[in-house]
Amino acid sequence: MKTKGVSHIAMCVADLDRSLHFYRDLLGLTVRLHTTQEMARRPGAESAEMYQMPRESRTVANVWFDDPETAQPFLVLTSHPGSEVEGDPIKLDQIGISHISFGVENVRAYAEELMAKGVPLAGTVDDFTNDQGVMRTFFVYDPDGILVQFDQGPGG
């Protein structure tokens, strides 16, 4: 058997509209599905191994990169209407999935564009600039405090 690749990355968010503003409106991803689903129809919905507590429904949005032919995974953003979600995002040196990373063409220009849109960096510009003045990567926080990295992408 062989694993073919990453299918999708799912993130539970506190406020789906706020997260869609970030991922869709600021980062430019495309929503291909946005619906509310009854949990009784979800595989494992009653499993204490998979959910912190029983939920009646979930609202889900699948967000994709603009190029549908790209073999990249898509994001699944979920929230649970009528009930709060618990937990704190983790840092880079803690157990668990610590961040998501996106490749961009021009790291510094992208950082400047996000800052102009009001997205603060997770640090300062100097934190992400080497001694030669080159910015190869930077991090921001999404609306739930999850670290989001931007870099030159594969091979960059």
Side-chain angles (χ1 to χ4, degrees), residues 48-124:
E49 301 298 321
M50 292 174 46
Y51 290 90
Q52 180 73 23
M53 60 185 287
R55 309 280 182 175
E56 291 185 24
S57 64
R58 77 175 189 163
T59 301
V60 61
N62 292 354
V63 292
W64 296 71
F65 299 95
D66 282 337
D67 182 3
E69 304 302 317
T70 303
Q72 297 179 2
F74 61 95
L75 294 180
V76 178
L77 304 175
T78 64
S79 65
H80 297 276
S83 64
E84 292 192 25
V85 294
E86 297 178 12
D88 295 312
I90 65 171
K91 300 294 183 193
L92 296 177
D93 58 349
Q94 294 178 296
I95 293 173
I97 298 173
S98 62
H99 69 286
I100 186 167
S101 183
F102 297 102
V104 296
E105 289 183 23
N106 183 319
V107 174
R108 183 174 295 277
Y110 203 83
E112 290 170 359
E113 182 179 335
L114 286 180
M115 288 186 295
K117 291 178 178 180
V119 178
L121 299 182
T124 67

Side-chain angles (χ1 to χ4, degrees), residues 13-22 24-25 34 79 143:
V13 299
D15 183 328
L16 186 58
D17 289 334
R18 192 175 65 181
S19 291
L20 283 173
H21 172 70
F22 180 80
R24 178 193 58 212
D25 303 338
H34 188 182
S79 65

